[in-house]
Amino acid sequence: MERSKKYMNPYLAGFLLGLVLLSAFYFTGRGLGASGAIKSTIVQAVDVVAPEHAQESHFYGKYVNKDDSPIKAWLVFEVLGVFIGGMISGAIMGRFKWKIEHSPKITSKTRLVAATIGGILFGLGSQLGRGCTSGSALSGMAVLSLGGFLSMMAIFGTGYVMAYIFRKLWI
Amino acid sequence: MGPLVAQDIIGSEWNFLIALLIGICFGFVLEQAGFSSSKKLAGVFYGYDFVVLRVFFTAAITAMVGLIFFDYLEIIDMSLVYINPTFLWSTLVGGVIMGVGFILGGFCPGTGVCAAAIGKIDAWFFIGGIFIGIFIFAEGYELLFESLHLGQTDPESYKEGSRYIQIFNSLGISRNIFAFGMIIMALVAFIVTARIEKGVKKPNY
């Protein structure tokens, strides 16, 4: 039990994460990402299932029939890596376990509904905001993009504003 | 001089291996930091665990300082580095929507993938939600989101190339002064939040 709770020192973890981000910039000229990989998967799937629809759409149309497909696939491989890396760490630390983590004040079902709605909003917001916490806020801040800072402030600022309303989910 | 792949110094066949390796390191560090637990992540909003703030700011500052040094030592060509464009309203509205998603879901996309990897079923549902959310955005794009997304609501500010704004320019100070100020602000935040954390009871589950 004690072992499973042992997390890395947050400043060391942050420093290492910063080095990972820096190496992403050094190799590719772009930072890290997460939501972009899911977007690419959806674009590919729609292009296969309904190619005409994908061609006509202003959204899918931006991504299909472009020669820049390597950068899209790049993110898919990167996120696949995130999954593998998380698994390796979880396996080493003995933290792998099928479970629904939630506060005793709510049921598992409530947690799953909240997680799904949260995911829907995050997916939608990440497209409007041109990236999520990784691609827009973290990577954007590293290159000192104004958009990156605005994104970070909007995400976390809203989290604080809404925290009281949704406190039952967590505390 | 970097970025290597962008200049074809490294062949594209290595590109995906690099992506996978960087991703593995990314996921490994996230999990090590405890980002695979929504309870730990949500702590930043309730004051019982500020690990998100510590890791996030330390990472952003490390990469920022690293890029400044790489630029100075001519290890990287900053003109080839992607600067996220700034679309004021879509960034703010998108960020607000993501903020609500964060407090409801307890994850962001990257941490959700990491949590799913160690068996958190709620994280799988969260990722399923992301798929739905992006699909809704894609299908409703022309009807609902396009004008906001492209910033057509503020045509005054729309000029080609003017989107790649860096924050120190907006503030009218030099890059290095801004970077120094950001480090000081982060240090103050680390100290203040450590004090807050001591006074807040940690939920036990």
Side-chain angles (χ1 to χ4, degrees):
Chain A
M1 191 61 197
E2 193 49 48
R3 190 163 165 250
S4 71
K5 288 283 176 199
K6 229 180 161 190
Y7 294 116
M8 188 186 278
N9 175 296
Y11 300 111
L12 176 62
F15 176 68
L16 294 176
L17 181 58
L19 295 183
V20 174
L21 180 55
L22 188 59
S23 59
F25 280 116
Y26 180 69
F27 282 109
T28 69
R30 297 180 76 117
L32 298 165
S35 53
I38 298 179
K39 176 184 77 184
S40 300
T41 311
I42 291 175
V43 170
Q44 290 295 332
V46 170
D47 194 29
V48 170
V49 175
E52 280 179 26
H53 175 57
Q55 292 284 352
E56 284 166 13
S57 157
H58 291 187
F59 180 79
Y60 304 117
K62 278 187 289 187
Y63 307 105
V64 293
N65 288 339
K66 286 269 175 70
D67 292 328
D68 64 348
S69 60
I71 190 73
K72 287 183 281 172
W74 201 93
L75 271 180
V76 175
F77 277 87
E78 186 232 76
V79 170
L80 200 64
V82 171
F83 189 83
I84 297 169
M87 236 177 179
I88 294 171
S89 167
I92 292 171
M93 305 305 288
R95 278 197 281 262
F96 188 96
K97 196 184 166 197
W98 290 107
K99 71 167 172 182
I100 302 166
E101 190 178 45
H102 65 87
S103 157
K105 289 180 186 164
I106 59 168
T107 60
S108 292
K109 197 182 153 196
T110 307
R111 170 68 188 128
L112 293 181
V113 171
T116 309
I117 298 172
I120 292 172
L121 292 174
F122 229 119
L124 213 158
S126 69
Q127 295 314 297
L128 202 52
R130 292 177 172 74
C132 60
T133 338
S134 311
S136 180
L138 181 62
S139 305
M141 280 170 70
V143 295
L144 301 174
S145 146
L146 177 64
F149 282 86
L150 290 174
S151 193
M152 183 272 294
M153 287 189 271
I155 295 171
F156 286 97
T158 307
Y160 279 105
V161 171
M162 295 290 167
Y164 185 75
I165 301 171
F166 296 113
R167 66 190 181 284
K168 273 217 167 130
L169 292 175
W170 305 107
I171 53 172
Chain B
M1 192 156 83
L4 301 180
V5 175
Q7 302 173 92
D8 290 322
I9 294 171
I10 288 184
S12 54
E13 67 274 18
W14 290 97
N15 204 353
F16 299 126
L17 186 66
I18 293 168
L20 195 68
L21 287 175
I22 286 178
I24 290 174
C25 297
F26 185 21
F28 186 86
V29 175
L30 287 179
E31 209 291 321
Q32 283 289 316
F35 280 23
S36 52
S37 163
S38 57
K39 176 192 160 195
K40 214 167 160 54
L41 293 168
V44 73
F45 297 117
Y46 297 99
Y48 62 80
D49 194 334
F50 283 101
V51 65
V52 169
L53 179 133
R54 293 184 188 119
V55 174
F56 190 88
F57 277 101
T58 311
I61 285 172
T62 303
M64 171 190 77
V65 172
L67 281 175
I68 289 173
F69 269 101
F70 277 15
D71 183 29
Y72 178 69
L73 299 170
E74 295 184 356
I75 293 171
I76 197 166
D77 181 353
M78 284 304 284
S79 69
L80 294 174
V81 169
Y82 178 76
I83 310 287
N84 306 51
T86 301
F87 287 75
L88 182 64
W89 289 107
S90 67
T91 302
L92 290 180
V93 176
V96 166
I97 296 171
M98 284 188 271
V100 180
F102 207 159
I103 200 79
L104 273 170
F107 294 113
C108 63
T111 54
V113 170
C114 184
I118 66 153
K120 296 279 165 68
I121 297 162
D122 40 329
W124 285 98
F125 277 72
F126 180 81
I127 294 169
I130 300 175
F131 272 92
I132 299 168
I134 297 179
F135 189 67
I136 291 172
F137 182 85
E139 292 300 323
Y141 187 67
E142 289 94 338
L143 191 63
L144 296 170
F145 307 113
E146 191 172 20
S147 64
L148 179 60
H149 183 245
L150 297 179
Q152 288 161 351
T153 45
D154 53 339
E156 284 292 312
S157 70
Y158 189 83
K159 274 186 228 118
E160 201 58 46
S162 68
R163 296 290 186 184
Y164 301 92
I165 309 161
Q166 287 185 292
I167 189 165
F168 53 88
N169 288 326
S170 319
L171 297 172
I173 55 178
S174 82
R175 180 188 67 179
N176 295 354
I177 295 280
F178 178 83
F180 182 73
M182 191 171 143
I183 294 170
I184 299 295
M185 273 173 65
L187 289 175
V188 171
F190 293 155
I191 295 166
V192 171
T193 52
R195 293 234 170 121
I196 295 172
E197 209 175 70
K198 274 185 191 158
V200 179
K201 194 174 150 277
K202 211 171 178 162
N204 196 18
Y205 61 90

